Amino acid sequence: AGVLSLIVAVVITSGTPPVDPSTIEVEGVQEIEGLEAFHVESVVDYEQTPPAGGPHNPTWLNCGVYEETQQNENAVHSLEHGAVWVTYDPDQVSGGDLDALRGKMPSNYFILSPFPGLEAPVVASAWGAQVTLDSVDDPRLGNFIVKFRLAESAPEPGALCSQALDGPGKVS
């Protein structure tokens, strides 16, 4: 009875019902079909920049915030596990904008890292999906994260996003 009361209290006080990610539409998402999920020890020439899936290193990149660029092949392995990789062009995003972007990241299953030379200030990638964003305040970022983080479209959603490789410049 106590557990049931607690559940009812949380539902009533939260004020908003949980959102079904499959109902979220994110304008401008490029969906990439036919991505292969196998391990390679070499550098991969991906079709997307940054990559949104495909062959990848056997070691995944631990999720978190990074201040340095990361090896694509390790980050793609994290995408296979259901992570969202948010990349930003450090020439376009810094200071308060970077702090704001860090504040938008969920508590797990995400990677945030610089990616010099992007065509947009921010690009969000998940396995088989990618969206370019005009600014750190673009509301599509939050919707993309809710829709694609731990999505069933990833080959191994919920597999570890920790206990592997801390890339250079990891801050949290």
Side-chain angles (χ1 to χ4, degrees):
V3 172
L4 182 58
S5 297
L6 179 61
I7 292 171
V8 170
V10 167
V11 169
I12 290 172
T13 59
S14 69
T16 58
V19 174
D20 177 359
S22 68
T23 65
I24 297 173
E25 295 294 326
V26 183
E27 185 179 332
V29 169
Q30 175 191 9
E31 297 203 22
I32 301 109
E33 301 290 328
L35 294 170
E36 296 179 318
F38 59 87
H39 295 166
V40 296
E41 297 286 344
S42 60
V43 173
V44 177
D45 183 19
Y46 292 103
E47 291 187 29
Q48 301 82 33
T49 302
H56 51 272
N57 191 280
T59 304
W60 60 88
L61 180 66
N62 290 333
C63 288
V65 175
Y66 292 87
E67 291 181 335
E68 295 180 33
T69 58
Q70 299 303 306
Q71 184 173 330
N72 290 337
E73 294 77 12
N74 299 108
V76 169
H77 194 150
S78 299
L79 298 182
E80 180 186 43
H81 292 185
V84 170
W85 186 14
V86 178
T87 52
Y88 61 93
D89 185 335
D91 289 336
Q92 300 181 65
V93 177
S94 61
D97 284 341
L98 181 54
D99 292 339
L101 186 58
R102 285 181 177 176
K104 295 174 191 288
M105 295 300 102
S107 62
N108 56 28
Y109 285 90
F110 79 94
I111 298 166
L112 175 65
S113 69
F115 201 107
L118 289 176
E119 64 181 60
V122 179
V123 176
S125 305
W127 189 273
Q130 189 170 76
V131 65
T132 58
L133 305 167
D134 299 327
S135 73
V136 301
D137 296 323
D138 192 318
R140 295 178 296 161
L141 176 59
N143 289 336
F144 185 92
I145 291 170
V146 171
K147 182 170 184 74
F148 292 106
R149 189 173 65 94
L150 294 169
E152 293 298 317
S153 55
E156 300 175 5
L160 287 176
C161 199
S162 61
Q163 301 178 20
L165 174 68
D166 278 343
K170 184 170 187 196
V171 293
S172 65

